[in-house]
């Protein structure tokens, strides 16, 4: 690179550009393996996800090494064979090819492909194996834009928050009520689509307790970005307690909550929602029997605080535009207050 | 000499006559220019949509766009960039260059060629007119059923999309047939298939891909429109239809489409690299056969877009294998390009910079490909920004950079003037830097779990910094495009005169004046060698540069002689037929009577077209 004398401005731009690209790549390499973000796929918390992660590293490094070799050859050629100021304008040898070299670089990618395929198939054999027979069965049904969750062997129905015990395999049966969605909890497992008209499955054994973020990964219409959910991995005991509680009907209401319960029935909420133990048996929206015990509401996008519940009931369309909770009547401030009290009491 | 391309002579005629001459033109060079300018406008439109998307995503909880608008923008950005930028811009090069490179006077069917352009324009305008009605398509560029059903997307947005694409498909298939027949039949004497420039080969292979791939999407779209317009049940789950049918049909088209998009880029790079290395392409036959292999394999890999749909282990494993196989011919091409540079006399002109930039970025896009083909990894990467980063490396890095290089390389041939090297270097370094800063961090946010097609995301996910960087860099790309436009305009007025062969190049188009006369070649050349022009200048490769000037002067002398050449007459019937087709498609959204009217119009116009004499008797010439 000749930077002496009068360097044209575009050369400085070139320098700045290459430095910037280098900085980003360096930042990546430095951060890779160290940055633990909430929804990353790089810090697996289940056996099958660990298997996937074990495939990620070798394939990534293989790609990096191939890039360095090929790009190195290219950059070397550019610098080595660039026309110099003292170029004699002669014609270089007109080489049309070299059979031996060409065989070499046909075989080289072939070998790399075979290696990658073997690694891939090995991992597939692990994650696509049948789940253990004692796996917990969970049925998830996708709706625009929330998740219906069933525990078929325990007679429990809930929504948007899936509880599972640690160290026990969990086997998801995935279905859709409307369009295609995709079930993805990056720290626990790769994604699987929820196809209307058929059932997909995926399984893994979680290895660490915690609250994990999940998100719909297949574009499914207006509020796709806000179709999120949570998975709670907890101890066997905590999970059993949770199941026990979920099986029960809604608690008895008193005071404002009781008035709210009456409004819930008279104000069309019942058309869509179920609250077991009451007259509400709608199936269009999420089951709310124990909604107050969930950490989040509105398809995993809002923390379950009194303020958020109130705002959601009052104006869900501004919080999650396009969502299908469209009230046929305007609610008064008092209605909203009473309904909020009711929802918050649904422990 | 007959009239020249027109770009140079426009000033001499009245504006009305000039416009009429462009409307009725059947000259492949002018049609090429029409394709280029139109696709450049759509490039601005698609780029503007991208900038709006990036504004929205620059910060968490972005408030610039509402959800529906966001969904429309990413749908139209993808659709426009694939069907109204990448394909027609490649078609611009096919049109301008193929007859010149094979020593022909025009394409095989000049009026059909005009029809392809006008049909492309009609289809693209039909789809974009949806913005006027607030009904822009919002189903994503691959429009997965059953979200696109009447039940889940009422209104006309999907119809604008589906019918627009159907019209565009007619244009693509007509053009592809035209190029196949042109390349088979109109090669100059002595130009065997294995003497064709690599760019011609890539056009040939691309055209075959188009005629085999487009029927699949046409069927898929007709099913979709039948479902929407006439209540059939191809994708209706409740009635026994299956949304997976759409995915299979779409990707049987969609994956070959990737090669339809990128092979022209391969072709352009394969012309630029030899010229500026002053060496022939390394391993010509391997380059050709690798492209053919990619094209064949491209039809056997479609379901790698569907690993998360639960096709089963066997299908997943098979498609992972076939997909990775494509790495072999692609690797061969990559090494041959590098070997073309090796041992040459490399001149780092702007076209060469773009070609080398293409090699670099396409390599990156090519290397993330096999990672995506590894099924377990794809279960994570699918539908995240990792994929978005991957295909922008392939399509922006692989195609747009190559097309830009092609513009700088052939601009002198098209206009007769050189583009500014200085502005060009600004353009290249800005574009190369900012495209990497835009698309590389997308891999990071993808790995960190950011799905594509989300118009809003929560803070604290570790995505904020990268998204801000991506958004800022996207505006850097926009800046580089402005520099490019500036260069196009300034050089058109003030560029240095180019002469026949400014780059000391190798293929036939450089043997004739710039811009080429309407009839291209005064005498159809006789071909004895691959890289005929280079051979004429330097013999078997051991001559000196001095000989070039001598032969060049001879060529100029020859060009002065007048020859009686039959050229077909201009015709407005292609435009009329295209208008009829577009009306028929639009009519399906308005009223069936309008559609019938459009069909009758089309049939009538085809009839009139076929009665029109192709050229006037020779005494009038």
């Amino acid at each position: 690179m000749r930077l002496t004398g009068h360097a044209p401005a575009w050369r400085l731009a070139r320098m700045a550009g290459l430095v910037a690209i280098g900085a980003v790549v360096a930042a990546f390499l430095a951060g890779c393996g160290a940055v633990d973000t909430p929804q990353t796929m790089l810090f697996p918390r289940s056996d099958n996800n660990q298997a996937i992660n074990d495939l990620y590293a070798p394939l990534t490094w293989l790609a990096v090494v191939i890039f360095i070799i090929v790009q190195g050859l290219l950059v070397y050629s550019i610098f080595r064979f660039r026309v110099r100021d003292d170029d004699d304008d002669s014609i270089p040898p007109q080489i049309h090819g070299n059979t031996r070299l060409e065989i070499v670089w046909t075989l080289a990618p072939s070998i790399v492909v075979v290696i990658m395929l073997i690694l891939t198939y090995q991992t597939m054999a692990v994650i696509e194996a049948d789940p253990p027979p004692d796996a917990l069965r969970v049925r998830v049904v996708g709706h625009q834009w929330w998740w219906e969750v069933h525990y078929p062997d325990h007679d429990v129905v809930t929504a948007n928050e899936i509880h599972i015990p640690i160290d026990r395999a969990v086997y998801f049966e995935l279905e859709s009520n409307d369009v295609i969605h995709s079930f993805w909890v990056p720290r626990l497992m790769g994604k699987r689509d929820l196809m209307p008209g058929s059932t997909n499955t995926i399984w893994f054994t979680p290895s660490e307790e915690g609250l994990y973020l999940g998100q719909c990964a297949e574009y499914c219409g207006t509020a796709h970005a806000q179709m999120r959910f949570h998975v709670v991995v907890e101890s066997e005991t905590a999970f059993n307690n949770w199941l026990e509680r979920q099986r029960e009907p809604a608690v008895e209401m008193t005071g404002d909550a009781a008035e709210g319960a009456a409004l819930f029935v008279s104000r069309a909420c019942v058309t869509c929602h179920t609250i077991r133990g009451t007259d509400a048996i709608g199936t269009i929206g999420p089951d709310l029997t124990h909604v107050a015990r969930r950490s989040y509401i509105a398809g995993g996008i809002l923390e379950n605080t009194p303020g958020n519940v109130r705002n959601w009931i009052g104006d869900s369309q501004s919080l999650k535009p396009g969502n299908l909770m469209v009230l046929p009547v305007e609610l008064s401030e008092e209605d909203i207050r009473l309904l909020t009290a009711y929802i918050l009491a649904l422990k | 000499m007959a009239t020249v391309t027109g770009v140079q002579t426009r000033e001499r005629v009245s504006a009305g006559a000039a416009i009429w001459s462009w409307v009725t033109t059947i000259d492949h060079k002018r049609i090429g220019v029409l394709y280029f300018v139109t696709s450049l406008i759509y490039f601005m439109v698609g780029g503007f949509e991208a900038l709006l998307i990036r504004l929205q995503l620059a910060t968490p909880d972005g408030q610039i766009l509402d959800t529906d608008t966001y969904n429309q923008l990413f749908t139209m950005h993808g659709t426009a960039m694939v069907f109204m930028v990448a394909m027609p811009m490649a078609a611009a090069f096919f049109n301008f260059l193929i007859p010149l490179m094979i020593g022909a006077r025009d394409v095989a069917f000049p009026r059909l060629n005009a029809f392809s352009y006008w049909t492309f324009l009609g289809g693209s305008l039909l789809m974009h007119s949806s913005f006027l009605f607030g009904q822009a398509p919002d189903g994503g560029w691959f429009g997965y059923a059953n979200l696109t059903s009447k039940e889940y997307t009422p209104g006309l947005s999907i119809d604008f999309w589906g019918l627009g694409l159907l019209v565009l498909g007619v244009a693509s298939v007509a053009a592809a047939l035209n190029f196949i027949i042109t390349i088979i039949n109109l090669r100059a004497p002595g130009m065997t298939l294995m003497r064709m420039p690599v760019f011609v080969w890539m056009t040939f292979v691309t055209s075959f891909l188009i005629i085999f791939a487009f029927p699949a999407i046409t069927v898929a779209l007709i099913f979709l429109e039948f479902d929407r317009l006439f209540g059939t049940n191809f994708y209706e789950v409740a009635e026994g239809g299956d949304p997976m049918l759409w995915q299979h049909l779409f990707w049987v088209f969609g994956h070959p489409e990737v090669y339809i998009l990128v092979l022209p880029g391969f072709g352009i790079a394969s012309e630029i690299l030899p010229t500026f290395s002053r060496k022939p392409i390394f391993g010509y036959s391997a380059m050709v056969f690798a492209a053919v292999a990619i094209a064949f394999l491209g039809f056997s890999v479609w379901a790698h877009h569907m690993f998360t749909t639960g096709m089963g282990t066997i299908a997943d494993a098979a498609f992972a294998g076939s997909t990775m196989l494509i790495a072999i011919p692609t690797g061969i091409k990559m090494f041959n390009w590098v070997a073309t540079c090796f041992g040459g006399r490399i001149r780092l002109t702007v076209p060469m910079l773009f070609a080398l930039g293409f090699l670099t970025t396409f390599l990156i896009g090519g290397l993330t490909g096999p990672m995506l083909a590894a099924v377990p990894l794809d279960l994570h990467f699918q539908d995240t920004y990792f994929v978005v980063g991957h295909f922008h490396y392939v399509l922006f890095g692989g195609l747009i950079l190559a097309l830009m290089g092609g513009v700088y390389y052939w601009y002198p041939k098209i206009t007769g003037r050189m583009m500014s090297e200085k502005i060009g270097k600004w353009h290249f370094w800005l574009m190369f830097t900012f495209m990497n800063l835009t698309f590389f961090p997308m891999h990071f946010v993808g790995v960190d779990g950011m799905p594509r097609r989300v118009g809003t995301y929560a803070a604290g996910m570790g995505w904020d910094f990268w998204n801000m960087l991506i958004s800022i860099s996207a505006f850097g790309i926009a800046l580089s495009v402005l520099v490019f436009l500036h260069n196009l305009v300034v050089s058109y007025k003030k560029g240095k005169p180019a002469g026949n062969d400014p780059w000391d190049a190798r293929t036939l188009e450089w043997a004739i004046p710039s811009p080429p006369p309407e009839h291209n070649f005064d005498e159809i050349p006789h071909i004895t060698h691959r890289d005929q022009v280079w051979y004429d200048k330097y013999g078997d490769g051991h001559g000196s540069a001095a000989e070039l000037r001598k032969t060049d002067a001879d060529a100029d002398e020859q060009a002065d002689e007048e020859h009686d050449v039959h050229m077909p007459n201009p015709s407005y019937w292609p435009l009329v037929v295209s208008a009829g087709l577009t009306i028929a498609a639009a009519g399906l959204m308005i009223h069936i009577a309008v559609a019938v009217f459009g069909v009758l119009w089309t049939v009538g116009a085809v009839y009139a077209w076929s009665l029109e004499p192709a050229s006037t008797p020779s005494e009038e010439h």
Side-chain angles (χ1 to χ4, degrees):
Chain A
M1 225 179 284
R2 291 163 299 171
L3 275 172
T4 48
H6 238 52
W10 63 263
R11 285 218 184 120
L12 299 177
R14 169 176 72 186
M15 190 76 107
L18 292 176
V19 168
I21 295 168
V24 167
V25 174
F28 170 65
L29 291 176
C32 144
V35 183
D36 186 355
T37 57
Q39 205 161 296
T40 180
M41 60 183 80
L42 292 184
F43 288 81
R45 295 289 184 259
S46 80
D47 56 347
N48 282 343
N49 212 18
Q50 183 64 48
I52 296 176
N53 200 52
D54 292 344
L55 180 66
Y56 176 78
L59 291 196
T60 307
W61 285 113
L62 211 50
V64 170
V65 168
I66 295 169
F67 177 78
I68 290 171
I69 293 172
V70 179
Q71 190 66 19
L73 283 172
L74 181 66
V75 171
Y76 171 79
S77 306
I78 295 170
F79 281 97
R80 170 71 182 74
F81 299 105
R82 251 185 80 180
V83 170
R84 309 280 156 188
D85 288 341
D86 57 351
D87 187 72
D88 59 0
D89 206 17
S90 65
I91 308 286
Q94 299 291 294
I95 300 159
H96 292 269
N98 179 319
T99 310
R100 198 171 300 171
L101 267 180
E102 288 175 51
I103 289 173
V104 168
W105 61 57
T106 307
L107 287 179
S110 311
I111 293 167
V112 173
V113 162
V114 170
I115 294 171
M116 292 178 93
L117 266 182
I118 290 173
L119 293 171
T120 299
Y121 289 162
Q122 281 176 336
T123 308
M124 286 176 72
V126 173
I127 66 169
E128 309 232 347
D130 289 335
D134 68 333
L136 171 73
R137 233 160 37 103
V138 181
R139 196 170 135 243
V140 177
V141 183
H143 293 255
Q144 282 180 327
W145 291 277
W146 62 281
W147 310 79
E148 178 185 340
V149 182
H150 294 258
Y151 293 75
D153 302 326
H154 301 277
D155 199 23
V156 164
V157 183
T158 177
N160 299 331
E161 186 174 298
I162 303 168
H163 286 243
I164 50 176
I166 189 171
D167 292 333
R168 179 178 167 195
V170 55
Y171 176 72
F172 287 95
E173 297 170 341
L174 307 170
E175 293 164 15
S176 173
N177 181 63
D178 37 51
V179 300
I180 303 172
H181 305 278
S182 194
F183 179 85
W184 190 35
V185 194
R187 306 192 70 135
L188 292 176
M189 190 52 194
K191 61 182 73 65
R192 187 69 84 192
D193 296 350
L194 292 76
M195 303 297 297
S198 60
T199 304
N200 268 334
T201 59
I202 199 165
W203 74 275
F204 55 85
T205 311
S207 57
E208 196 174 305
E209 289 180 26
L211 179 73
Y212 297 99
L213 304 181
Q215 183 150 11
C216 177
E218 183 65 69
Y219 174 61
C220 55
T222 307
H224 162 63
Q226 293 178 310
M227 182 167 169
R228 308 182 60 186
F229 63 102
H230 294 82
V231 176
V232 180
V233 178
E234 56 198 0
S235 71
E236 180 92 42
T237 332
F239 173 69
N240 285 333
N241 290 341
W242 178 83
L243 270 186
E244 203 59 43
R245 188 61 183 253
Q246 293 292 317
R247 255 196 301 265
E248 290 168 11
V251 290
E252 285 295 319
M253 296 294 154
T254 53
D256 283 352
E259 284 187 53
L263 272 178
F264 196 89
V265 175
S266 63
R267 284 285 190 258
C269 306
V270 288
T271 330
C272 298
H273 293 286
T274 291
I275 295 176
R276 276 171 288 125
T278 73
D279 291 339
I281 50 165
T283 55
I284 293 168
D287 184 304
L288 298 179
T289 311
H290 299 289
V291 65
R293 300 180 72 83
R294 294 177 202 151
S295 310
Y296 290 81
I297 57 165
I301 63 165
L302 297 174
E303 276 187 66
N304 196 353
T305 62
N308 280 340
V309 171
R310 196 189 169 288
N311 292 341
W312 178 255
I313 296 170
D315 187 8
S316 72
Q317 289 302 327
S318 74
L319 296 167
K320 185 170 177 174
N323 84 77
L324 301 181
M325 187 160 96
V326 184
L327 304 179
V329 286
E330 187 95 357
L331 293 175
S332 69
E333 283 298 310
E334 178 64 3
D335 288 351
I336 296 171
R337 191 182 67 80
L338 295 172
L339 282 169
T340 304
Y342 177 48
I343 295 296
L344 291 171
L346 286 166
K347 293 278 185 189
Chain B
M1 206 183 294
T3 54
V4 283
T5 321
V7 233
Q8 293 288 306
T9 51
R10 259 190 317 191
E11 298 82 7
R12 290 189 221 144
V13 290
S14 74
I19 292 171
W20 185 246
S21 79
W22 281 91
V23 167
T24 60
T25 187
I26 54 168
D27 177 355
H28 70 97
K29 298 181 287 298
R30 286 177 150 221
I31 292 170
V33 171
L34 286 173
Y35 263 115
F36 180 76
V37 171
T38 313
S39 59
L40 198 59
I41 291 168
Y42 282 120
F43 187 53
M44 304 297 123
V45 174
F48 184 68
E49 287 159 353
L51 291 181
L52 289 176
I53 289 169
R54 287 316 317 178
L55 273 179
Q56 169 75 4
L57 293 179
T59 56
D61 303 313
Q63 300 295 326
I64 313 273
L65 304 171
D66 65 59
T67 318
D68 287 324
T69 310
Y70 183 86
N71 294 342
Q72 293 173 350
L73 286 176
F74 76 67
T75 300
M76 286 307 290
H77 168 75
T79 307
M81 286 300 193
V82 168
F83 294 97
M84 296 160 217
V85 178
M87 292 184 70
M89 204 177 279
F93 283 90
F94 298 169
N95 265 289
F96 199 92
L97 293 171
I98 292 303
L100 299 182
M101 282 185 161
I102 62 172
R105 293 241 151 83
D106 205 316
V107 294
F109 304 113
R111 287 184 296 179
L112 185 67
N113 202 24
F115 165 78
S116 293
Y117 169 74
W118 294 114
T119 306
F120 150 64
L121 186 66
S124 61
L125 288 178
L126 174 65
M127 198 189 297
H128 275 88
S129 67
S130 59
F131 280 106
L132 302 177
F133 305 97
Q135 297 263 12
D138 55 358
W141 89 269
F142 42 73
Y144 270 5
N146 55 344
L147 180 61
T148 52
S149 66
K150 225 29 190 188
E151 181 181 359
Y152 296 111
T153 311
L156 293 173
S157 60
I158 298 298
D159 302 302
F160 273 110
W161 182 79
L163 295 166
L165 282 183
L166 279 169
V167 175
L168 288 172
V170 173
S172 297
V173 172
L177 286 167
N178 211 343
F179 286 114
I180 289 171
I181 294 162
T182 303
I183 292 169
I184 292 177
N185 284 329
L186 298 189
R187 279 169 293 133
M191 180 170 277
T192 59
L193 287 177
M194 294 308 274
R195 284 183 190 156
M196 297 195 307
V198 176
F199 179 79
V200 178
W201 261 110
M202 295 304 122
T203 306
F204 195 51
V205 174
T206 303
S207 302
F208 273 105
L209 281 171
I210 290 175
I211 59 171
F212 286 117
F214 267 77
I217 192 178
T218 305
V219 167
L221 287 167
I222 287 174
F223 286 174
L224 172 67
E225 286 307 323
F226 266 61
D227 276 8
R228 290 184 61 90
L229 298 169
F230 309 123
T232 54
N233 304 312
F234 292 104
Y235 308 121
E236 296 291 334
V237 180
E239 310 292 332
D242 190 351
M244 282 292 276
L245 174 64
W246 170 271
Q247 294 195 21
H248 282 292
L249 286 172
F250 185 87
W251 290 118
V252 166
F253 151 80
H255 203 78
E257 172 71 13
V258 174
Y259 300 107
I260 291 171
L261 297 174
V262 87
L263 285 181
F266 288 4
I268 290 170
S270 302
E271 297 304 321
I272 294 175
L273 291 168
T275 293
F276 296 104
S277 303
R278 309 194 85 191
K279 272 178 70 206
I281 190 85
F282 195 93
Y284 174 94
S285 336
M287 288 303 250
V288 170
F289 289 123
V292 175
I294 289 173
F296 271 104
L297 287 172
F299 279 98
S300 65
V301 302
W302 77 90
H304 68 215
H305 296 270
M306 302 159 59
F307 286 148
T308 62
T309 58
M311 294 181 297
T313 311
I314 304 293
D316 286 356
F319 281 103
S322 62
T323 302
M324 286 197 195
L325 281 183
I326 289 194
I328 299 170
T330 313
I332 293 172
K333 290 186 94 68
M334 191 55 79
F335 282 114
N336 279 333
W337 282 321
V338 174
T340 302
C341 298
F342 192 91
R345 294 277 185 283
I346 295 176
R347 289 174 289 161
L348 289 180
T349 58
V350 176
M352 186 63 167
L353 285 175
F354 274 103
L356 294 170
F358 150 81
L359 289 192
T360 305
T361 48
F362 181 72
L363 177 61
I364 296 173
L367 286 170
T368 45
M371 293 177 74
L372 287 160
V375 179
L377 293 188
D378 188 66
L379 296 186
H380 276 302
F381 293 150
Q382 168 83 343
D383 278 321
T384 66
Y385 266 85
F386 191 93
V387 175
V388 180
H390 161 74
F391 68 67
H392 279 95
Y393 262 90
V394 172
L395 294 180
F396 200 107
L399 182 65
I400 298 295
L401 288 189
L403 287 171
M404 291 294 163
V407 172
Y408 279 87
Y409 185 57
W410 282 293
Y411 187 90
K413 181 53 60 188
I414 296 165
T415 65
R417 291 180 185 277
M418 307 295 289
M419 283 183 87
S420 159
E421 282 279 305
K422 194 174 144 215
I423 305 175
K425 283 183 174 163
W426 273 105
H427 171 203
F428 172 75
W429 286 107
L430 285 172
M431 184 172 263
F432 184 74
T433 302
F434 284 115
M435 78 135 281
N436 279 291
L437 292 181
T438 302
F439 300 123
F440 208 79
M442 286 186 179
H443 298 94
F444 310 158
V445 283
V447 166
D448 280 343
M450 181 163 169
R452 68 196 286 200
R453 299 177 164 180
V454 293
T456 178
Y457 57 92
M461 303 292 278
W463 307 337
D464 306 7
F465 171 76
W466 295 121
N467 273 312
M468 182 54 87
L469 176 67
I470 292 168
S471 292
I472 292 170
S473 305
F475 280 85
I477 296 180
L479 175 68
S480 77
V481 173
L482 291 180
V483 172
F484 170 63
L485 291 178
H486 172 68
N487 201 357
L488 277 182
V489 173
V490 165
S491 303
Y492 185 68
K493 292 183 184 141
K494 296 188 190 151
K496 276 185 299 191
N500 290 7
D501 182 16
W503 306 118
D504 193 11
R506 317 179 70 89
T507 42
L508 278 184
E509 74 272 26
W510 304 105
I512 56 172
S514 314
E518 193 188 354
H519 57 284
N520 297 347
F521 296 90
D522 296 331
E523 267 179 78
I524 296 300
H526 283 257
I527 308 300
T528 54
H529 286 78
R530 201 180 288 157
D531 292 346
Q532 183 72 33
V533 168
W534 179 268
Y535 177 79
D536 290 345
K537 289 188 287 196
Y538 300 111
D540 278 326
H542 307 290
S544 73
E547 289 171 41
L548 155 70
R549 280 121 221 171
K550 206 172 77 215
T551 28
D552 220 22
D554 292 347
D556 284 347
E557 240 167 72
Q558 273 183 4
D560 288 338
E561 294 171 35
E562 282 280 339
H563 287 271
D564 193 26
V565 179
H566 283 261
M567 295 304 287
N569 282 339
S571 171
Y572 48 80
W573 288 113
L575 169 60
V576 177
V577 177
S578 301
L581 265 184
T582 310
I583 291 169
L588 287 169
M589 288 184 279
I590 303 163
H591 190 277
I592 196 73
V594 183
V596 172
F597 170 72
V599 171
L600 292 176
W601 175 324
T602 307
V603 171
V606 169
Y607 188 70
W609 171 344
S610 58
L611 292 180
E612 183 188 46
S615 59
T616 38
S618 55
E619 55 269 21
E620 203 187 305
H621 176 77

